[in-house]
Amino acid sequence: MASGFFAILDDITALMDDVAVTTKLAARKTAGILGDDLAVNAEKATGFLASRELPVLWAITKGSFINKLIIVPVALVLNAIFPVAITVILLLGGLYLAYEGVEKIIEYLFHRGKTGHEVVEDVRQDGPAAETAKVKSAITTDFILSIEIVIIALGSVAEENLTTQIFTVAAVALLATVGVYGIVALIVRMDDTGYRLIKYSGNKGFLSAIGSLLVKSLPVIIRILAVVGTLALILVSGGIFVHNIEYLHHVLPAVPSTVKEIVFGLVAGLLAVAVLKGAKKALSLFR
């Protein structure tokens, strides 16, 4: 009886060792997409009142956990019974990311100044409804990026047994959520931490200098993240197309992969924006 118990413990220890090794490998392969995930979600989690930053971030984090709870089992089942579906889902997700990234670029390049009733309308929209809309947008984007993270993690352990696949993918999904949103929380609270350091030190000395640096750095970091987040959307979407469409994978072999991914992401995003705007105009004609 005792020997049987220790045999079970030995099996569990061996499984945990395997999971630790495969999780490390999967985390290394998803490092790039995790960086993109951080940039995108940090940009989406900023721009709220200080009192609403943590509640909003917690709402997005809960949505991210729910996303993972949906994606992980579905990905494991589809990988076992219908692997082609995973590729289709990835491509649709890539199209959405490309659309969102290009739409941001178009809005920035062709944004016109607003006056009068347009400004009033924007101010009225800056309330609970706008906050809810931004949270939903962040959770939707997280869903797409989470699919990519889970699929890459699953692909890295495709040769392992089902138990190892389940534990590895679950571990990567958990680490991705806790790690990404933990760092985002630190970023969005930089200014409040800085103000407290300045107040605590009486606006004198080393602590005050650190506090001032944190306060001044936050707007710069937010602007950088806005740019990086947009580029990340384009790059991730282009990477999805290049790695999952055989023809695109072999197009222009002499061109660096990053350049190809950006180009394909931009082209896909422009097409998506054009199609959506055309569809909206067509629908307006029938109303």
Side-chain angles (χ1 to χ4, degrees):
M1 185 112 179
S3 62
F5 175 73
F6 284 112
I8 293 174
L9 284 180
D10 186 58
D11 291 340
I12 293 174
T13 302
L15 174 62
M16 291 299 101
D17 287 339
D18 291 340
V19 170
V21 172
T22 53
T23 300
K24 184 178 180 180
L25 175 64
R28 189 183 302 124
K29 288 190 174 183
T30 58
I33 190 72
L34 287 174
D36 295 336
D37 196 11
L38 172 62
V40 171
N41 286 293
E43 188 268 329
K44 283 185 173 292
T46 55
F48 299 99
L49 294 174
S51 61
R52 296 299 305 158
E53 285 177 343
L54 289 182
V56 165
L57 185 58
W58 175 235
I60 298 173
T61 304
K62 287 190 293 184
S64 180
F65 274 117
I66 293 172
N67 287 342
K68 304 297 193 303
L69 288 174
I70 296 170
I71 293 167
V72 171
V74 170
L76 289 167
V77 171
L78 286 177
N79 186 58
I81 64 174
F82 193 42
V84 176
I86 292 181
T87 302
V88 174
I89 293 170
L90 271 176
L91 293 174
L92 291 174
L95 194 60
Y96 171 80
L97 293 177
Y99 166 78
E100 194 170 57
V102 169
E103 188 182 40
K104 285 177 177 290
I105 295 173
I106 292 174
E107 182 180 353
Y108 175 78
L109 292 176
F110 301 101
H111 179 73
R112 59 187 178 88
K114 295 181 180 180
T115 57
H117 69 277
E118 293 174 293
V119 174
V120 173
E121 186 178 350
D122 280 353
V123 171
R124 287 176 181 170
Q125 290 175 349
D126 188 17
E131 179 180 298
T132 301
K134 196 167 183 179
V135 169
K136 287 182 178 179
S137 175
I139 292 174
T140 301
T141 302
D142 175 272
F143 186 84
I144 305 300
L145 292 171
S146 295
I147 291 174
E148 180 76 355
I149 291 169
V150 169
I151 297 304
I152 291 175
L154 184 57
S156 69
V157 291
E159 304 300 323
E160 303 293 334
N161 59 65
L162 180 60
T163 304
T164 302
Q165 289 181 2
I166 292 172
F167 278 101
T168 300
V169 174
V172 171
L174 180 62
L175 289 171
T177 303
V178 174
V180 166
Y181 288 101
I183 296 174
V184 172
L186 292 176
I187 291 173
V188 300
R189 300 304 290 177
M190 277 179 59
D191 54 346
D192 287 320
T193 303
Y195 281 125
R196 289 181 182 180
L197 286 175
I198 293 171
K199 185 177 180 181
Y200 177 78
S201 62
N203 202 16
K204 296 178 181 179
F206 179 72
L207 290 179
S208 177
I210 295 296
S212 297
L213 179 63
L214 290 175
V215 172
K216 293 176 180 177
S217 297
L218 182 60
V220 177
I221 291 175
I222 290 174
R223 285 195 292 269
I224 292 173
L225 287 173
V227 175
V228 173
T230 301
L231 289 175
L233 290 170
I234 301 294
L235 190 59
V236 171
S237 64
I240 291 175
F241 300 135
V242 169
H243 296 299
N244 291 279
I245 299 176
E246 191 69 20
Y247 175 76
L248 295 181
H249 184 69
H250 297 289
V251 168
L252 303 174
V255 178
S257 60
T258 302
V259 175
K260 286 172 57 176
E261 289 168 7
I262 290 175
V263 170
F264 290 135
L266 284 172
V267 171
L270 288 170
L271 290 174
V273 169
V275 170
L276 189 61
K277 288 187 178 296
K280 286 181 177 179
K281 287 185 178 180
L283 287 174
S284 66
L285 295 175
F286 290 100
R287 290 179 179 176

